[in-house]
Amino acid sequence: MTVPFTQPHEAAARTLIKLSLAEDLQETGDLTCQALIEDTDQAEIQIVARQSGILAGSPITSLIFAELDPRVTCEHHLADGASLEPGSVISTCAGPLASLLTGERTVLNFLTHLCGVASQTAEYVKAIEGTRACILDTRKTLPGWRVLEKYAVAAGGGTNHRMGLYDGILIKDNHLAAWASRNSHPTIAAAVQQARESVNGEKGVEVEVDTLEQLADALEGKPEIVLLDNMSPETMREAIQMRDAQSPATLLEASGGINLETVRAAAETGVERISVGALTHSVISLDIGFDWKRRT
């Protein structure tokens, strides 16, 4: 699945690249290359997949070397979203050897992590093939990495949930508890209505419930989405029957305790959405190599 690498992705990458290079180099630079590599040494490297997975973050390699040394040129052989096999050549970069070696770890840190996110997402997407559900990410991302991690989720075939607190309403249990404490006749439906009015109906409202009783209450407010928190497949099936009877336009989202072993059962209940925090908070990096040869 090809996904566009747009200006917001580039801006997020540039910010992280500056931080990453500053961590490595500070004011001194690469002491090892300064000690052992001649300024005239030239080389060509290939970035190569060591295991199967999904590519995400390839354009960031060019941004890293543009920041580090504009003399380095990069050719990208595969687009983000492409399937990788052991030996797949992702990119070829050429230029001063010292600059290539200095940038190696930064390049691999970005690629291995983002490819890991995309690859894990693809496993979840494959696990629910043939159902009506889609796989969504969450806000459980590394600080500063959200834009890029959600980009990688999309590269893996997943669907992005809200980017942050600023672009969507999700009423969770703590919101409801605080709101109910200062209302004489609190209902979830009333909270949904108040939230909808606060944005003049310009954004949809999602609300979290963890019992069927709460669901019945929430559906009275006709929310766009109800998040079913930590419900068993049997309870989710009951929730779908209740939704179909009370508010057919409301989408249901399974969340909490979802993993690769349980995601199929959740999808087969008939929910439209499944959100998985593990796509970003428990990712295993994909093994990628940085292979170089000296140029004469």
Side-chain angles (χ1 to χ4, degrees), residues 231-246:
M231 288 189 181
S232 68
E234 294 75 19
T235 305
M236 282 192 273
R237 290 190 182 90
E238 293 184 58
I240 288 170
Q241 294 177 352
M242 186 179 295
R243 183 276 309 274
D244 292 346
Q246 287 186 246

Side-chain angles (χ1 to χ4, degrees), residues 169-172 176 188 192 205-209 218 223 225-228:
I169 293 176
L170 173 48
I171 306 170
K172 305 196 79 174
L176 288 171
I188 298 175
V192 168
V205 177
E206 180 172 3
V207 60
E208 175 188 78
V209 302
I225 307 168
V226 175
L227 186 153
L228 308 176

Side-chain angles (χ1 to χ4, degrees), residues 232-268:
S232 68
E234 294 75 19
T235 305
M236 282 192 273
R237 290 190 182 90
E238 293 184 58
I240 288 170
Q241 294 177 352
M242 186 179 295
R243 183 276 309 274
D244 292 346
Q246 287 186 246
S247 182
T250 297
L251 302 178
L252 295 183
E253 177 181 328
S255 186
I258 304 291
N259 55 46
L260 280 171
E261 286 66 47
T262 61
V263 68
R264 181 77 191 185
E268 288 178 343

Side-chain angles (χ1 to χ4, degrees), residues 50-176:
R50 297 281 189 255
Q51 65 183 115
S52 300
I54 301 296
L55 177 61
S58 180
I60 298 173
T61 299
S62 293
L63 298 178
I64 291 169
F65 284 119
E67 179 71 21
L68 188 62
D69 185 346
R71 294 174 297 173
V72 174
T73 61
C74 296
E75 179 184 0
H76 305 299
H77 306 295
L78 298 171
D80 283 355
S83 295
L84 299 174
E85 300 297 336
S88 295
V89 178
I90 297 168
S91 302
T92 300
C93 299
L97 174 57
S99 298
L100 292 170
L101 295 177
T102 297
E104 175 179 357
R105 177 44 51 196
T106 299
V107 167
L108 292 180
N109 283 346
F110 276 90
L111 283 179
T112 59
H113 178 66
L114 294 176
C115 290
V117 172
S119 301
Q120 182 159 256
T121 301
E123 290 187 53
Y124 277 88
V125 171
K126 183 177 181 180
I128 64 165
E129 281 181 348
T131 70
R132 66 193 296 185
C134 65
I135 297 294
L136 296 100
D137 51 28
T138 70
R139 288 170 46 243
K140 297 174 182 177
T141 54
L142 290 172
W145 277 80
R146 183 169 299 165
V147 170
L148 295 182
E149 289 184 340
K150 283 180 173 281
Y151 170 81
V153 166
T159 300
N160 293 148
H161 210 306
R162 59 179 181 160
M163 186 62 68
L165 299 175
Y166 64 89
D167 65 343
I169 293 176
L170 173 48
I171 306 170
K172 305 196 79 174
D173 53 357
N174 286 336
H175 298 112
L176 288 171

